[in-house]
Amino acid sequence: MGSLTAERPVSREEETRAARKAARVEKRDGKNRSRAARRLRRRQRLSPLTRKILAVNLLALLIPVVGMLYLGPYRESLIAQEIDALREQGEIFSGALGEGAIGLLDNGQEVLNIVPARDLVRRLSAASEVRARFFLADGSLAVDSRQLGSTGQQILVEELDDPIAEDPIQPVVNPVLSWLDSLSHWIENRDYPLYRDHLNPTVTDYPESVRALQGESAFAVRRDDNRNLVLTVALPVQRYVHVFGSLMLSRDGGRIDEAMRDVRLTILAVFAGALVITTLVSLYFASTIARPLHRLAEAAEKVRHSVGRDPDTIPDLTGRRDEIGDLSAVLREMTSALTMRITAIERFAADVSHEIKNPLTSLKSAIETVQRVKDPNHQRELLRIVKEDVERLDRLITDISDASRLDAELGRVQTEEIDLADMLEMLVGMHRTARGDDVPDAGGLGPVVRFVRSGDGPFRVGGMESRLVQIFQNLIGNAESFSPRDGTITVTIAREGAWIVATCEDDGPGIPAAKLEEIFNRFYTERPQHEKFGAHSGLGLSICKQIAEAHGGAIHAENRPGPDGKPKGARFVVRLPAV
């Protein structure tokens, strides 16, 4: 017989575990994808930073290139110069016609001789590059310098360009220049009238010639079918006030277009050279930024994987003497501080574990024993031990909590100016009042605490008043526990240059020479014999050192030498920078 297998229902706890596992897998995959994306960006030929630097520099370089497309004022100045030159030639032509082609009839009437006029126009225009046309007063064309023969047999003469060997670069440059010309015309939006070369022209075909027949000089600027400029100037041919005809000189704007192309070609050549230089400089500039940043990013990622255990992973770029060098120095300092912090946390965690295990072990042993002991006296003794261990645990947890909060609090400390002398005087006064030192016949509850101000000050420091008070509360409390009941605790303050020095002296047995540095370690305890075990956590002096160093100062311990060379008490010296 076959066996039937029933599906086991999934509990809510298993569903929760599966969901958490899926979330961890997704988070890990997300981190792997982000790392892969960062590595891909670093392998790119041009980093995003390099592309941005290139884009900004090239954009600045393109501004004058775009500006060269708008050369309207320059073209207008060239046109004005050509018009002035044509007008000067026209004045010479019209003056020559007025003097040499006008004769007198028998009745004394002036008349224009066509044959001399035609010869004059052709001879004068042959020496120049202009086309001269002479219209009679009735509007008909009398002479055209580009036509041979009489008016009935006209042969048009066209000037051909000289055959010149083609420049090999022209096939590449000409399309670019033509495109720039078209783009420039579109940007300038300047549309000249269309020029028509009629087969049988009359004066009405050219408005400027009509005005010349009226005794005025005029000019016009047009474009032919190939968008080439055609400049015309018309002047009256007259003798005294009598107008015999209109002389119209015309010239193509090839020189103007050629000058415009030369300007654009020069700008393009400068742009090409500047483009190469800008690109090379931008790539070099970007490499001096992007490559070190990539190195720093990779080093920071290694630090993250090594959890700050290798402070030398960050490359030393401080020799650059710039912002990246400063960033490298800051990252190295941060990594070093992180390494120290992690090491301190690990050591602190180990010390906490060790210190807490002792009372827990004692507590566990006492509880197991009290269950087997029947003697009430023994049970009460064991319960007393349990109570003391619980109190010790509570004291340890409180001090550990205070020590752990201290790091975060000092990291965001808001400093203020504090008169350390006034603070210590008030603190000593509070101790004296609390212990009855100022009350006659009170007998006191322990050693006398007194305050001594050495010098005139000022004794101002910067820091957190509550934490500075904590330093001297711990020092006075530590001195009270070691001093005899009839002893004296002296708190002194003095100024030494840029430092404020405060000391706390007692009349106790002093500190073993080998322990002067060790007493500031966490959980170090060496208490008087009359004090019960576990009354202190061993964190007080360690907290004092931590607070003093966070304020830019230091603390150390030394023994007060007696007459016989033996210690007659301990002295704790706190040095804080003055403000």
Side-chain angles (χ1 to χ4, degrees), residues 162-204:
D162 294 333
I164 302 175
E166 185 179 5
D167 191 348
I169 199 173
Q170 290 302 318
V172 178
V173 175
N174 285 337
V176 176
L177 292 176
S178 299
W179 177 80
L180 287 176
D181 288 339
S182 302
L183 185 59
S184 178
H185 295 324
W186 177 77
I187 292 176
E188 294 174 5
N189 196 22
R190 182 67 183 270
D191 191 15
Y192 294 103
L194 183 63
Y195 172 80
R196 296 290 185 184
D197 200 356
H198 302 280
L199 292 176
N200 297 305
T202 63
V203 73
T204 55

Side-chain angles (χ1 to χ4, degrees), residues 398-399 401-403 405-406 409-410 423-424 427 431 464-478 539-548 551 555:
T398 301
D399 290 345
S401 175
D402 184 53
R405 286 199 309 270
L406 188 61
E409 184 178 341
L410 293 176
M423 187 195 79
L424 292 178
L427 183 62
H431 273 79
M464 296 179 63
E465 185 174 8
S466 60
R467 290 303 180 180
L468 293 177
V469 167
Q470 186 177 4
I471 291 178
F472 295 99
Q473 280 181 335
N474 289 350
L475 293 180
I476 293 174
N478 186 73
L539 288 172
L541 293 179
S542 173
I543 290 176
C544 291
K545 181 179 180 181
Q546 189 176 358
I547 296 174
H551 284 76
I555 183 174

Side-chain angles (χ1 to χ4, degrees), residues 54-103:
L54 276 173
V56 170
N57 290 338
L58 293 180
L59 179 62
L61 188 61
L62 284 173
I63 292 176
V65 177
V66 174
M68 83 173 184
L69 298 176
Y70 184 75
L71 293 174
Y74 179 65
R75 178 188 289 106
E76 295 300 327
S77 66
L78 293 178
I79 291 175
Q81 293 175 13
E82 289 291 322
I83 292 294
D84 290 340
L86 274 178
R87 183 177 286 110
E88 291 177 0
Q89 286 182 295
E91 290 174 352
I92 296 173
F93 283 22
S94 64
L97 285 173
E99 294 293 334
I102 297 175

Side-chain angles (χ1 to χ4, degrees), residues 247-325:
L247 177 67
M248 186 177 76
L249 302 182
S250 60
R251 175 185 290 167
D252 62 16
R255 289 193 296 184
I256 296 176
D257 291 334
E258 188 67 26
M260 297 292 292
R261 288 197 172 199
D262 288 343
V263 171
R264 291 195 177 100
L265 188 60
T266 302
I267 295 178
L268 280 179
V270 173
F271 169 73
L275 177 64
V276 174
I277 295 175
T278 301
T279 302
L280 294 178
V281 171
S282 298
L283 291 176
Y284 169 74
F285 182 59
S287 66
T288 61
I289 297 177
R291 193 173 301 140
L293 288 179
H294 283 166
R295 290 179 59 192
L296 292 175
E298 292 173 356
E301 188 171 359
K302 291 179 182 178
V303 170
R304 184 174 66 85
H305 287 302
S306 64
V307 200
R309 297 182 185 277
D310 186 5
D312 295 329
T313 303
I314 304 296
D316 187 4
L317 303 177
T318 53
R320 292 171 56 102
R321 299 184 182 277
D322 57 9
E323 287 77 3
I324 293 181

Side-chain angles (χ1 to χ4, degrees), residues 77-387:
S77 66
L78 293 178
I79 291 175
Q81 293 175 13
E82 289 291 322
I83 292 294
D84 290 340
L86 274 178
R87 183 177 286 110
E88 291 177 0
Q89 286 182 295
E91 290 174 352
I92 296 173
F93 283 22
S94 64
L97 285 173
E99 294 293 334
I102 297 175
L104 294 174
L105 297 177
D106 295 336
N107 58 5
Q109 183 180 2
E110 294 179 336
V111 65
L112 178 70
N113 297 319
I114 298 299
V115 174
R118 183 181 297 121
D119 293 337
L120 279 173
V121 168
R122 287 174 179 167
R123 288 179 181 178
L124 291 173
S125 61
S128 62
E129 297 178 356
V130 299
R131 179 180 181 182
R133 279 169 283 191
F134 181 51
F135 294 95
L136 298 176
D138 60 0
S140 62
L141 178 64
V143 182
D144 186 346
S145 63
R146 290 192 182 179
Q147 290 180 351
L148 300 177
S150 63
T151 56
Q153 298 176 350
Q154 297 179 349
I155 301 174
L156 186 63
V157 178
E158 293 288 344
E159 296 182 3
L160 300 178
D161 296 333
D162 294 333
I164 302 175
E166 185 179 5
D167 191 348
I169 199 173
Q170 290 302 318
V172 178
V173 175
N174 285 337
V176 176
L177 292 176
S178 299
W179 177 80
L180 287 176
D181 288 339
S182 302
L183 185 59
S184 178
H185 295 324
W186 177 77
I187 292 176
E188 294 174 5
N189 196 22
R190 182 67 183 270
D191 191 15
Y192 294 103
L194 183 63
Y195 172 80
R196 296 290 185 184
D197 200 356
H198 302 280
L199 292 176
N200 297 305
T202 63
V203 73
T204 55
D205 295 329
Y206 305 99
E208 60 271 25
S209 294
V210 174
R211 291 182 60 186
L213 289 178
Q214 298 171 359
E216 301 177 4
S217 62
F219 70 92
V221 181
R222 300 183 181 87
R223 284 195 179 274
D224 59 14
D225 293 333
N226 297 324
R227 297 194 61 81
N228 296 320
L229 286 174
V230 178
L231 311 178
T232 59
V233 172
L235 299 98
V237 177
Q238 59 188 7
R239 187 177 179 85
Y240 303 110
V241 294
H242 186 198
V243 177
F244 293 92
S246 170
L247 177 67
M248 186 177 76
L249 302 182
S250 60
R251 175 185 290 167
D252 62 16
R255 289 193 296 184
I256 296 176
D257 291 334
E258 188 67 26
M260 297 292 292
R261 288 197 172 199
D262 288 343
V263 171
R264 291 195 177 100
L265 188 60
T266 302
I267 295 178
L268 280 179
V270 173
F271 169 73
L275 177 64
V276 174
I277 295 175
T278 301
T279 302
L280 294 178
V281 171
S282 298
L283 291 176
Y284 169 74
F285 182 59
S287 66
T288 61
I289 297 177
R291 193 173 301 140
L293 288 179
H294 283 166
R295 290 179 59 192
L296 292 175
E298 292 173 356
E301 188 171 359
K302 291 179 182 178
V303 170
R304 184 174 66 85
H305 287 302
S306 64
V307 200
R309 297 182 185 277
D310 186 5
D312 295 329
T313 303
I314 304 296
D316 187 4
L317 303 177
T318 53
R320 292 171 56 102
R321 299 184 182 277
D322 57 9
E323 287 77 3
I324 293 181
D326 296 340
L327 176 63
S328 170
V330 171
L331 286 177
R332 288 175 65 85
E333 292 173 1
M334 182 191 69
T335 306
S336 178
L338 179 64
T339 302
M340 294 174 60
R341 182 65 60 85
I342 291 175
T343 303
I345 290 174
E346 291 176 347
R347 188 184 301 117
F348 182 67
D351 294 341
V352 168
S353 175
H354 175 72
E355 291 297 322
I356 290 181
K357 279 184 179 179
N358 289 335
L360 284 177
T361 301
S362 174
L363 187 60
K364 178 181 178 182
S365 176
I367 291 175
E368 290 177 350
T369 304
V370 78
Q371 295 175 352
R372 297 193 300 268
V373 173
K374 304 301 181 181
D375 187 354
N377 294 328
H378 289 168
Q379 289 180 346
R380 282 194 295 271
E381 181 64 21
L382 290 172
L383 290 176
R384 183 186 63 80
I385 295 174
V386 169
K387 179 183 177 183

